[in-house]
Structure formats: C-alpha cells, structure tokens
Amino acid sequence: MIAYLIRRLLHSIVVVAGVATIAFALLHFIPGDPVDAILGVESTPAAREALRHDLGLDRPLLTQYVAWWGEVLRGDLGESVMTGQSVSQLIRQRLPTTIPLAVLSMSIALAIAVPAGILSAIKRNTWVDGLVSMIAFAGLSLPGFWLGALLILGFSVHWRIFPPGGYVSVFQDPIDGLRHLVLPAIALGTTFAAVLTRMIRSSLLEVLGKDYIRTARAKGQVERRILIRHALRNALIPAVTIIGVQAGFLLSGALVIEQIFSLPGIGRLTVQAVFDRDFPLLQGCIIVIALIFVVANLITDLIYVYLDPRISYQ
Amino acid sequence: MGSCVSSTEAATTNNPGASAFGSASLEAPRFSRARAAFRRLRRNRLATAGLFVLLAAVFVAIFAPVIAPFNPRAISVMNALNGPNSTNLMGTDNLGRDLFSRVLYGIRMSIMIAVISIGVASLIGVVLGLISGFFGGRTDEIIMRGMDILYAFPDLLLALALIATFGTGLTGLIVAIAIGRVPGFARITRATVLSVRENEYVEAARTIGMRDSRIILRHILPNGIAPIIVMMSISLALAILVEASLSFLGLGIQPPTPSLGGLLKEALGFMETAPWMAIFPGLTIALIIFSLNLLGDGLRDVLDPNLK
C-alpha cells in the first residue's frame, strides 16, 4: 500500500513538473520575438528592454529555466505583464469564485444523476429507462455555453427569477451569492450529470447480475433492501472514479461559463491572459489548474483503493 | 473556398471510420468484417439516425455554397433582426445577414476543422501508441509519460495555451485542437497492441523473420482498428465542441467568417430582441454532437463490446 502511494505520488509530481515545463516553454515557442508579440511592434525600445529584462529573456535559456523553477517552488509565479500585480495573488483572489461554482455544479450533478441512474437501472428496458437515457444523451451533447445562454434567456430575461450574471461572494452574502451561482452551476454540471447517470446505470446493472444478489433474493430479502444494502454500495464505487476525471471537464467548462455569466473566477482570468498575451499570468493559471486536476485525480484514486479492497496496489 | 472542399473530402476518405462504412458496399471478402459490422449497426436505430444526420451535415459542409440562399457575409441593414420567415428561414442577425446561410457555412467550418484535426490527432496518436506498445521498455515509458502530461491539461486549457503562443488562425486552431486529442488515441492503440502482441500469429510472423514494421501494419493494426474508430467518433464530437467554445470566446475562427461558436457569441448581445440568433446555431452544434455520440455509442456496441 505504502509503495503504491509513493509511486502514485511520484507519478503525479512528474506530470505536474511536465505541465509546468510546457507552461514555461510556451513563451519561448512564440514565432518571432515574444516581446513583439506581447507589446506590439510600435512599443518604445525602453519598454521592450524593460519587459525583456522582467521576463528574464536577456539571460541564457537554461539560467532562465532554473531561476523560474526556483521561483515557482517558492510559490512566486511572477508578475502580470498587464497590471504588474503578483500572479499568485491574482489567482488567490479568483479561486473563491471558481471553487464554490465547481462544488455547486458537482452537487447538482450528483443530486440529479444518482436517482436518475438508479431509476434507469431498476426500470431497465422500459420507457422510463429509455427516457432517462435519451435525456442523459442529450445532456452529454449540449454545449455548456449554449445551455448557459438558454438559461439566461429563460430564467433571467423572461421569468426574471435569477440574475443574468454578475457576482456576489458566497462568503459574504450566502443567499445572494448562491442565487448568482445557480444558473452557471447548472450550465456547468449538466454534462457531468449526464456522464454520471450513464455510469451509475451500467454499474448498477452489472452488480444486479452478480451471484450475491441472487443469493440475497433466494433467501427472501425485500427488493428495496437488496438494492440499498447490497447493490448500491458496490455500484457507486466506479462512479467515484470519474469524479476526478470530471474535475478536469469542470475546470475546462469554467473557462467558458464564467465568461457568459461574468463571474470573476480563474477561468475568466485565464481567458483574459490569452487575450492580453500576458504569459506570466497564463503560465500561473495553467500550473494552478493542472495542479488542481492532478490532485483531484490522485485523491479519487486513493478513495477508490480505500473503497474497493479488491484492487491490488501493483 | 474550393480548396476547403477538397481538403474536407480528402480528410474524410482518409478516415478509417469513413472507409469502414464506404467499404460496406464492396464485395471483396477482406471487407466482410466491416460489412457485418455495418449490418449490425443498421439494426441500432439511434445510431443509424445519428449516421444519417452526420451524412446530411457532411453534405451541407461540402455543398454549402450551392445550398445557401444568400451570401453569408452580405450585410443588409434594412433587414436587420428579422425573425424567422419564408425568405430568411432562421431569421437575420443584427447586420441583416441571413442566419440560415451563416449556419450552413458554420457547419462547413466546424466539420472541416474537426475532421482535419482528428485526422492529424489519430495519425500521430496511433503511430505513438503502436511504437509504445510494440517496443515497450524505455521508449514506452517516455512516450506514455509525455501523454500523461498532455492529459493533465483540461481540453480547452491546452488549446487556449497553444493559441496564446501561436496566435489565432486556421492552422493554429487545428493544431490546438489536434494536440489535445493525441493522448487518447495513443493510449487506446497501445492498450490494443499490448493485448494483441502476445498472440501466436504475431509470434509466428516473427519466427519467419518478418520485419517489425510489417508485423505492426499487417497483423497488429488491423486487429486494433475497432476501438480506434470508436475513439474517432467520440473525438470528433469533442473537437466540434472545443472549436465552438474557442470561437465563442473569440479565440477561434475570426469574424466575418461564420462559425457556429462565433454565431453564438454574436447572439449574446441580442438575447432579448433576437433569441433566434442564439437558438439555431446552438441547436445545430448540439444536434451534430448528439449524432456523433449516438453513432459512437452504436459503433462501440457493434465493434467492441468489451469497451462498454
């Protein structure tokens, strides 16, 4: 077990280090002069020299790389080219928006998918199953940003139930904060709900075909009890594994959803960095997002191993 | 635009998924497996419906200039923001451009980009997966760790990062979408190679002194083609989604060229006055992705039940 943990951790570190290296390399892959690309060709020579120095481009590549790692490991992600603010501070300011959004959309997805998946499995091959599967399939195909636009159209423009966008911190005003997060969380969580519903359905069907379920039936257990005591617990284990993978999709979706709903989260910060060609900021966002993704996957793997004792640690 | 048509066609015919269907009508015995698979696929009604929608979309993509009733870029301020009517089937946008024609051209753009980028991604991914699985050892280790690193980027983030570096533009967009899909193809190909590699017929081929490249192409790849085709259809759906997302953010296809994501972006400012501007392009994207998912699911059932 310990050996597995160490190996898994080392693997995660290698992956994050690789991501960070790609992030570092992005600036150097720019065709032509990166300073031209960031400031435009009409900038003054003094400004260009200053930026070149700030980005460390006047030093040899290897020196830059080593120095950059030194800073990253100390938690210093540099300064934004546009605003001069510290990148780590900018990201820290944005995370309190994105994290509640991600948590809320995961909760909504679970609240829909668990009952829907169970219903679909126990009513297998009936019209109920067909309907749930069709809705799940449609949910899988809806682009989140389009769903977001439709939700604004219905619930903000037409019925005026929820605000069409904007941001109130859930930590300062929980109720108003949540009202601002509901529509974006639905738009973001729909795909996740769809994937999860399908997963729970097929995993529950597989478990219901197992010998121990037949044994439980044979000794006269009530169907509901079989479902809850014997089947569900085992069927939900595989569903846990996709939560980690889905964390990546949520972060990916947040890049677009935060834009539509004008939420000042890390997704919007990243997109702004791309528009401004603000490379230190973009590098910082990439490292933080990849780190969240890798850690989420690591935790999921560990939970999986904990939940299912049959998994070997090899 | 003529070159776009030919490149779309070229990419489509290079696509093994397409050739599996195309070959269904051939009588030669070596295609019998594809034919049997196609027959089973036809029994799955949803997958068949998906296939028909996609064929229609490809038809539209190729013949958009012939089908479109108006020039998609022709501005007519007098006709701005008209709702759907008999002249403008999907209404007009804020500059009076015909939305139906713009959606048709948008489909053309989306499909062309998706097909080329998945063509490139599958080619690179399959080659890396074959090398990795067949040779194993350190080569395998290096390639697969590289794939793990690419995998740690959420889809859209990798595309955004590449666009920040290489700039917006058709080539940049295709590269940005393709690179993110390479690890999926590499992993699935490697897994197949590993399962096929130990078979006796591979051993036999080796014993009679067949070259590695020939063993891979003749004996290993044909056995691993099914999961790759399924992967292609799912990846095409993702590619269309990523392209639409990028264009929606303003980092993909640049105006005035119409793209489905770009049309949605333009619609955001007119949600109250002209909801059709958002509804039709979004519905089109959803329908294409829906069909690809249906087809992918059907293909998986037909070609590789173990994948489910």
Short mmCIF file of all heavy atoms in Angstrom, two decimals, chain A residues 105-158:
data_model
loop_
_atom_site.label_atom_id
_atom_site.label_comp_id
_atom_site.label_asym_id
_atom_site.label_seq_id
_atom_site.Cartn_x
_atom_site.Cartn_y
_atom_site.Cartn_z
N SER A 105 -21.86 22.84 -8.85
CA SER A 105 -22.28 22.10 -10.04
C SER A 105 -22.09 20.60 -9.84
O SER A 105 -22.90 19.80 -10.33
CB SER A 105 -21.57 22.58 -11.31
OG SER A 105 -20.23 22.73 -11.09
N MET A 106 -21.07 20.20 -9.09
CA MET A 106 -20.92 18.77 -8.77
C MET A 106 -22.09 18.30 -7.92
O MET A 106 -22.62 17.20 -8.14
CB MET A 106 -19.62 18.53 -8.00
CG MET A 106 -18.43 18.31 -8.88
SD MET A 106 -17.20 17.30 -8.02
CE MET A 106 -15.99 17.10 -9.32
N SER A 107 -22.51 19.13 -6.95
CA SER A 107 -23.63 18.73 -6.08
C SER A 107 -24.90 18.58 -6.88
O SER A 107 -25.66 17.61 -6.71
CB SER A 107 -23.84 19.75 -4.97
OG SER A 107 -22.63 20.14 -4.41
N ILE A 108 -25.16 19.55 -7.77
CA ILE A 108 -26.36 19.47 -8.60
C ILE A 108 -26.30 18.21 -9.46
O ILE A 108 -27.28 17.46 -9.56
CB ILE A 108 -26.49 20.73 -9.50
CG1 ILE A 108 -26.76 21.96 -8.62
CG2 ILE A 108 -27.60 20.56 -10.53
CD1 ILE A 108 -26.82 23.27 -9.39
N ALA A 109 -25.13 17.95 -10.04
CA ALA A 109 -24.98 16.77 -10.90
C ALA A 109 -25.26 15.48 -10.12
O ALA A 109 -25.99 14.60 -10.60
CB ALA A 109 -23.58 16.74 -11.50
N LEU A 110 -24.71 15.39 -8.91
CA LEU A 110 -24.93 14.18 -8.10
C LEU A 110 -26.40 14.04 -7.73
O LEU A 110 -26.96 12.95 -7.79
CB LEU A 110 -24.08 14.25 -6.83
CG LEU A 110 -22.61 13.89 -7.01
CD1 LEU A 110 -21.80 14.25 -5.76
CD2 LEU A 110 -22.46 12.40 -7.29
N ALA A 111 -27.03 15.17 -7.36
CA ALA A 111 -28.43 15.14 -6.94
C ALA A 111 -29.33 14.67 -8.08
O ALA A 111 -30.36 14.04 -7.85
CB ALA A 111 -28.86 16.52 -6.46
N ILE A 112 -28.94 14.96 -9.30
CA ILE A 112 -29.75 14.51 -10.44
C ILE A 112 -29.36 13.08 -10.84
O ILE A 112 -30.21 12.22 -11.05
CB ILE A 112 -29.55 15.44 -11.66
CG1 ILE A 112 -30.02 16.85 -11.31
CG2 ILE A 112 -30.29 14.91 -12.89
CD1 ILE A 112 -29.68 17.86 -12.38
N ALA A 113 -28.05 12.83 -10.91
CA ALA A 113 -27.58 11.59 -11.53
C ALA A 113 -27.82 10.35 -10.68
O ALA A 113 -28.18 9.30 -11.22
CB ALA A 113 -26.10 11.71 -11.86
N VAL A 114 -27.67 10.45 -9.37
CA VAL A 114 -27.81 9.24 -8.55
C VAL A 114 -29.23 8.69 -8.64
O VAL A 114 -29.41 7.52 -9.03
CB VAL A 114 -27.36 9.51 -7.09
CG1 VAL A 114 -27.67 8.30 -6.21
CG2 VAL A 114 -25.87 9.81 -7.05
N PRO A 115 -30.29 9.50 -8.36
CA PRO A 115 -31.65 8.93 -8.53
C PRO A 115 -31.95 8.53 -9.97
O PRO A 115 -32.54 7.46 -10.21
CB PRO A 115 -32.58 10.05 -8.08
CG PRO A 115 -31.75 11.21 -7.72
CD PRO A 115 -30.32 10.87 -7.83
N ALA A 116 -31.51 9.35 -10.94
CA ALA A 116 -31.82 9.04 -12.34
C ALA A 116 -31.15 7.74 -12.77
O ALA A 116 -31.77 6.91 -13.45
CB ALA A 116 -31.38 10.19 -13.24
N GLY A 117 -29.91 7.55 -12.37
CA GLY A 117 -29.17 6.34 -12.74
C GLY A 117 -29.81 5.10 -12.13
O GLY A 117 -29.98 4.07 -12.79
N ILE A 118 -30.20 5.21 -10.84
CA ILE A 118 -30.82 4.07 -10.15
C ILE A 118 -32.16 3.72 -10.81
O ILE A 118 -32.43 2.57 -11.13
CB ILE A 118 -31.05 4.40 -8.65
CG1 ILE A 118 -29.70 4.58 -7.96
CG2 ILE A 118 -31.84 3.29 -7.97
CD1 ILE A 118 -29.81 5.06 -6.53
N LEU A 119 -32.95 4.79 -11.06
CA LEU A 119 -34.27 4.59 -11.67
C LEU A 119 -34.12 3.88 -13.02
O LEU A 119 -34.83 2.92 -13.33
CB LEU A 119 -34.94 5.95 -11.86
CG LEU A 119 -36.38 5.93 -12.34
CD1 LEU A 119 -37.27 5.40 -11.23
CD2 LEU A 119 -36.84 7.33 -12.74
N SER A 120 -33.16 4.36 -13.80
CA SER A 120 -32.93 3.82 -15.12
C SER A 120 -32.55 2.34 -15.05
O SER A 120 -32.99 1.53 -15.86
CB SER A 120 -31.82 4.64 -15.79
OG SER A 120 -31.82 4.46 -17.16
N ALA A 121 -31.74 1.99 -14.05
CA ALA A 121 -31.27 0.61 -13.93
C ALA A 121 -32.38 -0.33 -13.47
O ALA A 121 -32.54 -1.42 -14.00
CB ALA A 121 -30.08 0.53 -12.99
N ILE A 122 -33.17 0.12 -12.43
CA ILE A 122 -34.20 -0.82 -11.95
C ILE A 122 -35.37 -0.92 -12.91
O ILE A 122 -36.09 -1.90 -12.94
CB ILE A 122 -34.68 -0.52 -10.50
CG1 ILE A 122 -35.10 0.94 -10.36
CG2 ILE A 122 -33.62 -0.85 -9.48
CD1 ILE A 122 -35.59 1.28 -8.96
N LYS A 123 -35.56 0.09 -13.75
CA LYS A 123 -36.63 0.03 -14.75
C LYS A 123 -36.04 -0.31 -16.11
O LYS A 123 -36.51 0.18 -17.15
CB LYS A 123 -37.34 1.39 -14.86
CG LYS A 123 -37.95 1.89 -13.59
CD LYS A 123 -39.38 1.39 -13.44
CE LYS A 123 -39.96 1.93 -12.14
NZ LYS A 123 -41.21 1.27 -11.78
N ARG A 124 -34.99 -1.11 -16.08
CA ARG A 124 -34.25 -1.41 -17.31
C ARG A 124 -35.16 -1.82 -18.47
O ARG A 124 -36.11 -2.59 -18.30
CB ARG A 124 -33.26 -2.53 -17.00
CG ARG A 124 -32.62 -3.13 -18.21
CD ARG A 124 -31.59 -4.11 -17.83
NE ARG A 124 -31.98 -4.89 -16.64
CZ ARG A 124 -31.36 -6.01 -16.30
NH1 ARG A 124 -30.37 -6.45 -17.00
NH2 ARG A 124 -31.72 -6.67 -15.23
N ASN A 125 -34.84 -1.24 -19.65
CA ASN A 125 -35.55 -1.56 -20.90
C ASN A 125 -37.04 -1.23 -20.88
O ASN A 125 -37.81 -1.81 -21.63
CB ASN A 125 -35.37 -3.04 -21.26
CG ASN A 125 -33.92 -3.34 -21.59
OD1 ASN A 125 -33.20 -2.43 -21.99
ND2 ASN A 125 -33.50 -4.56 -21.39
N THR A 126 -37.47 -0.32 -20.00
CA THR A 126 -38.84 0.18 -20.06
C THR A 126 -38.77 1.58 -20.67
O THR A 126 -37.68 2.09 -20.95
CB THR A 126 -39.47 0.30 -18.67
OG1 THR A 126 -38.70 1.25 -17.92
CG2 THR A 126 -39.46 -1.04 -17.95
N TRP A 127 -39.95 2.22 -20.82
CA TRP A 127 -39.92 3.56 -21.40
C TRP A 127 -39.23 4.55 -20.46
O TRP A 127 -38.62 5.52 -20.91
CB TRP A 127 -41.33 4.04 -21.76
CG TRP A 127 -42.25 4.20 -20.57
CD1 TRP A 127 -43.07 3.28 -20.04
CD2 TRP A 127 -42.41 5.39 -19.79
NE1 TRP A 127 -43.73 3.80 -18.96
CE2 TRP A 127 -43.36 5.10 -18.78
CE3 TRP A 127 -41.85 6.68 -19.84
CZ2 TRP A 127 -43.75 6.03 -17.84
CZ3 TRP A 127 -42.25 7.61 -18.90
CH2 TRP A 127 -43.19 7.29 -17.90
N VAL A 128 -39.30 4.27 -19.13
CA VAL A 128 -38.64 5.16 -18.17
C VAL A 128 -37.13 5.16 -18.45
O VAL A 128 -36.49 6.21 -18.55
CB VAL A 128 -38.90 4.70 -16.72
CG1 VAL A 128 -38.21 5.62 -15.74
CG2 VAL A 128 -40.39 4.65 -16.45
N ASP A 129 -36.57 3.96 -18.59
CA ASP A 129 -35.15 3.81 -18.88
C ASP A 129 -34.80 4.53 -20.19
O ASP A 129 -33.82 5.26 -20.27
CB ASP A 129 -34.82 2.32 -18.97
CG ASP A 129 -33.37 2.05 -19.26
OD1 ASP A 129 -32.55 2.93 -18.93
OD2 ASP A 129 -33.06 0.99 -19.82
N GLY A 130 -35.65 4.31 -21.19
CA GLY A 130 -35.41 4.94 -22.49
C GLY A 130 -35.39 6.45 -22.38
O GLY A 130 -34.50 7.12 -22.92
N LEU A 131 -36.36 6.98 -21.63
CA LEU A 131 -36.46 8.44 -21.49
C LEU A 131 -35.23 9.00 -20.75
O LEU A 131 -34.60 9.96 -21.22
CB LEU A 131 -37.74 8.79 -20.72
CG LEU A 131 -38.07 10.27 -20.63
CD1 LEU A 131 -38.48 10.80 -22.00
CD2 LEU A 131 -39.20 10.53 -19.63
N VAL A 132 -34.87 8.35 -19.62
CA VAL A 132 -33.72 8.83 -18.85
C VAL A 132 -32.46 8.77 -19.72
O VAL A 132 -31.67 9.71 -19.77
CB VAL A 132 -33.53 7.99 -17.56
CG1 VAL A 132 -32.23 8.35 -16.87
CG2 VAL A 132 -34.70 8.22 -16.61
N SER A 133 -32.29 7.65 -20.44
CA SER A 133 -31.10 7.51 -21.27
C SER A 133 -31.05 8.58 -22.36
O SER A 133 -29.99 9.14 -22.66
CB SER A 133 -31.07 6.14 -21.93
OG SER A 133 -30.99 5.15 -20.94
N MET A 134 -32.21 8.87 -22.96
CA MET A 134 -32.27 9.88 -24.02
C MET A 134 -31.90 11.25 -23.46
O MET A 134 -31.12 12.00 -24.07
CB MET A 134 -33.72 9.93 -24.54
CG MET A 134 -33.95 9.56 -25.99
SD MET A 134 -32.59 8.91 -26.86
CE MET A 134 -32.66 9.99 -28.24
N ILE A 135 -32.47 11.58 -22.28
CA ILE A 135 -32.16 12.88 -21.67
C ILE A 135 -30.68 12.96 -21.33
O ILE A 135 -30.02 13.98 -21.57
CB ILE A 135 -33.03 13.12 -20.41
CG1 ILE A 135 -34.51 13.22 -20.81
CG2 ILE A 135 -32.60 14.38 -19.69
CD1 ILE A 135 -35.46 13.35 -19.64
N ALA A 136 -30.13 11.85 -20.81
CA ALA A 136 -28.71 11.84 -20.47
C ALA A 136 -27.87 12.06 -21.72
O ALA A 136 -26.91 12.82 -21.72
CB ALA A 136 -28.34 10.51 -19.81
N PHE A 137 -28.28 11.42 -22.80
CA PHE A 137 -27.54 11.58 -24.06
C PHE A 137 -27.60 13.01 -24.56
O PHE A 137 -26.62 13.58 -25.03
CB PHE A 137 -28.12 10.64 -25.11
CG PHE A 137 -27.10 9.73 -25.67
CD1 PHE A 137 -27.16 8.37 -25.43
CD2 PHE A 137 -26.04 10.23 -26.38
CE1 PHE A 137 -26.20 7.53 -25.92
CE2 PHE A 137 -25.07 9.41 -26.87
CZ PHE A 137 -25.15 8.05 -26.63
N ALA A 138 -28.80 13.61 -24.45
CA ALA A 138 -28.94 14.99 -24.89
C ALA A 138 -28.08 15.90 -24.01
O ALA A 138 -27.39 16.80 -24.51
CB ALA A 138 -30.40 15.40 -24.82
N GLY A 139 -28.08 15.62 -22.69
CA GLY A 139 -27.28 16.43 -21.77
C GLY A 139 -25.80 16.35 -22.11
O GLY A 139 -25.05 17.32 -21.99
N LEU A 140 -25.39 15.18 -22.58
CA LEU A 140 -23.99 14.97 -22.95
C LEU A 140 -23.62 15.80 -24.18
O LEU A 140 -22.47 16.14 -24.41
CB LEU A 140 -23.84 13.48 -23.28
CG LEU A 140 -22.51 12.81 -23.12
CD1 LEU A 140 -22.04 12.94 -21.70
CD2 LEU A 140 -22.64 11.34 -23.50
N SER A 141 -24.62 16.13 -24.99
CA SER A 141 -24.35 16.79 -26.27
C SER A 141 -24.56 18.29 -26.22
O SER A 141 -24.21 18.99 -27.17
CB SER A 141 -25.26 16.20 -27.35
OG SER A 141 -25.21 14.80 -27.30
N LEU A 142 -25.18 18.80 -25.16
CA LEU A 142 -25.43 20.24 -25.11
C LEU A 142 -24.14 20.98 -24.78
O LEU A 142 -23.54 20.72 -23.76
CB LEU A 142 -26.44 20.55 -24.00
CG LEU A 142 -27.90 20.28 -24.25
CD1 LEU A 142 -28.72 20.76 -23.07
CD2 LEU A 142 -28.36 21.01 -25.51
N PRO A 143 -23.73 21.92 -25.63
CA PRO A 143 -22.58 22.71 -25.25
C PRO A 143 -22.96 23.56 -24.04
O PRO A 143 -24.02 24.20 -24.04
CB PRO A 143 -22.34 23.61 -26.46
CG PRO A 143 -23.16 23.05 -27.57
CD PRO A 143 -24.28 22.30 -26.93
N GLY A 144 -22.13 23.55 -22.98
CA GLY A 144 -22.44 24.27 -21.75
C GLY A 144 -22.73 25.74 -21.99
O GLY A 144 -23.61 26.32 -21.36
N PHE A 145 -22.01 26.34 -22.94
CA PHE A 145 -22.20 27.78 -23.13
C PHE A 145 -23.54 28.08 -23.80
O PHE A 145 -24.15 29.12 -23.54
CB PHE A 145 -21.05 28.41 -23.91
CG PHE A 145 -20.73 27.76 -25.22
CD1 PHE A 145 -21.32 28.19 -26.38
CD2 PHE A 145 -19.81 26.73 -25.29
CE1 PHE A 145 -21.02 27.62 -27.59
CE2 PHE A 145 -19.49 26.14 -26.50
CZ PHE A 145 -20.11 26.58 -27.64
N TRP A 146 -24.02 27.14 -24.60
CA TRP A 146 -25.33 27.35 -25.21
C TRP A 146 -26.43 27.18 -24.16
O TRP A 146 -27.36 27.97 -24.07
CB TRP A 146 -25.55 26.39 -26.37
CG TRP A 146 -26.81 26.65 -27.12
CD1 TRP A 146 -27.19 27.85 -27.68
CD2 TRP A 146 -27.87 25.73 -27.40
NE1 TRP A 146 -28.41 27.72 -28.28
CE2 TRP A 146 -28.85 26.43 -28.13
CE3 TRP A 146 -28.07 24.39 -27.11
CZ2 TRP A 146 -30.03 25.82 -28.57
CZ3 TRP A 146 -29.23 23.78 -27.56
CH2 TRP A 146 -30.20 24.50 -28.28
N LEU A 147 -26.27 26.12 -23.35
CA LEU A 147 -27.22 25.91 -22.27
C LEU A 147 -27.24 27.14 -21.36
O LEU A 147 -28.31 27.60 -20.95
CB LEU A 147 -26.80 24.66 -21.47
CG LEU A 147 -27.76 24.24 -20.37
CD1 LEU A 147 -29.12 23.91 -20.95
CD2 LEU A 147 -27.21 23.04 -19.62
N GLY A 148 -26.05 27.68 -21.08
CA GLY A 148 -25.97 28.89 -20.25
C GLY A 148 -26.78 30.02 -20.86
O GLY A 148 -27.56 30.70 -20.19
N ALA A 149 -26.61 30.21 -22.18
CA ALA A 149 -27.35 31.28 -22.87
C ALA A 149 -28.85 31.04 -22.79
O ALA A 149 -29.63 31.97 -22.53
CB ALA A 149 -26.89 31.36 -24.32
N LEU A 150 -29.27 29.78 -22.97
CA LEU A 150 -30.70 29.46 -22.89
C LEU A 150 -31.24 29.70 -21.48
O LEU A 150 -32.36 30.21 -21.30
CB LEU A 150 -30.96 28.00 -23.30
CG LEU A 150 -30.75 27.65 -24.76
CD1 LEU A 150 -31.15 26.21 -25.01
CD2 LEU A 150 -31.53 28.57 -25.68
N LEU A 151 -30.46 29.33 -20.47
CA LEU A 151 -30.88 29.53 -19.09
C LEU A 151 -31.06 31.02 -18.80
O LEU A 151 -32.02 31.42 -18.13
CB LEU A 151 -29.86 28.92 -18.12
CG LEU A 151 -29.82 27.39 -18.05
CD1 LEU A 151 -28.63 26.92 -17.22
CD2 LEU A 151 -31.11 26.84 -17.46
N ILE A 152 -30.15 31.84 -19.30
CA ILE A 152 -30.27 33.29 -19.10
C ILE A 152 -31.55 33.77 -19.77
O ILE A 152 -32.33 34.54 -19.21
CB ILE A 152 -29.05 34.04 -19.70
CG1 ILE A 152 -27.80 33.69 -18.91
CG2 ILE A 152 -29.28 35.55 -19.67
CD1 ILE A 152 -26.54 34.33 -19.44
N LEU A 153 -31.75 33.26 -21.01
CA LEU A 153 -32.93 33.66 -21.78
C LEU A 153 -34.21 33.32 -21.01
O LEU A 153 -35.12 34.16 -20.89
CB LEU A 153 -32.91 32.92 -23.12
CG LEU A 153 -33.79 33.46 -24.23
CD1 LEU A 153 -33.39 34.88 -24.58
CD2 LEU A 153 -33.66 32.58 -25.48
N GLY A 154 -34.28 32.12 -20.46
CA GLY A 154 -35.49 31.69 -19.76
C GLY A 154 -35.62 32.27 -18.37
O GLY A 154 -36.59 32.95 -18.06
N PHE A 155 -34.61 32.04 -17.53
CA PHE A 155 -34.75 32.35 -16.11
C PHE A 155 -34.37 33.79 -15.74
O PHE A 155 -34.69 34.24 -14.65
CB PHE A 155 -33.91 31.37 -15.28
CG PHE A 155 -34.47 29.98 -15.29
CD1 PHE A 155 -33.99 29.04 -16.18
CD2 PHE A 155 -35.50 29.62 -14.44
CE1 PHE A 155 -34.51 27.76 -16.21
CE2 PHE A 155 -36.03 28.35 -14.45
CZ PHE A 155 -35.53 27.41 -15.35
N SER A 156 -33.66 34.50 -16.61
CA SER A 156 -33.29 35.86 -16.26
C SER A 156 -34.07 36.87 -17.09
O SER A 156 -34.63 37.82 -16.57
CB SER A 156 -31.79 36.09 -16.48
OG SER A 156 -31.07 35.12 -15.81
N VAL A 157 -34.08 36.65 -18.42
CA VAL A 157 -34.73 37.63 -19.30
C VAL A 157 -36.25 37.47 -19.24
O VAL A 157 -36.98 38.44 -19.03
CB VAL A 157 -34.24 37.45 -20.75
CG1 VAL A 157 -34.98 38.39 -21.68
CG2 VAL A 157 -32.75 37.67 -20.83
N HIS A 158 -36.73 36.22 -19.35
CA HIS A 158 -38.16 36.00 -19.45
C HIS A 158 -38.84 36.00 -18.09
O HIS A 158 -39.73 36.80 -17.81
CB HIS A 158 -38.40 34.68 -20.18
CG HIS A 158 -39.80 34.48 -20.64
ND1 HIS A 158 -40.35 35.26 -21.65
CD2 HIS A 158 -40.77 33.66 -20.21
CE1 HIS A 158 -41.60 34.89 -21.82
NE2 HIS A 158 -41.88 33.93 -20.96
#
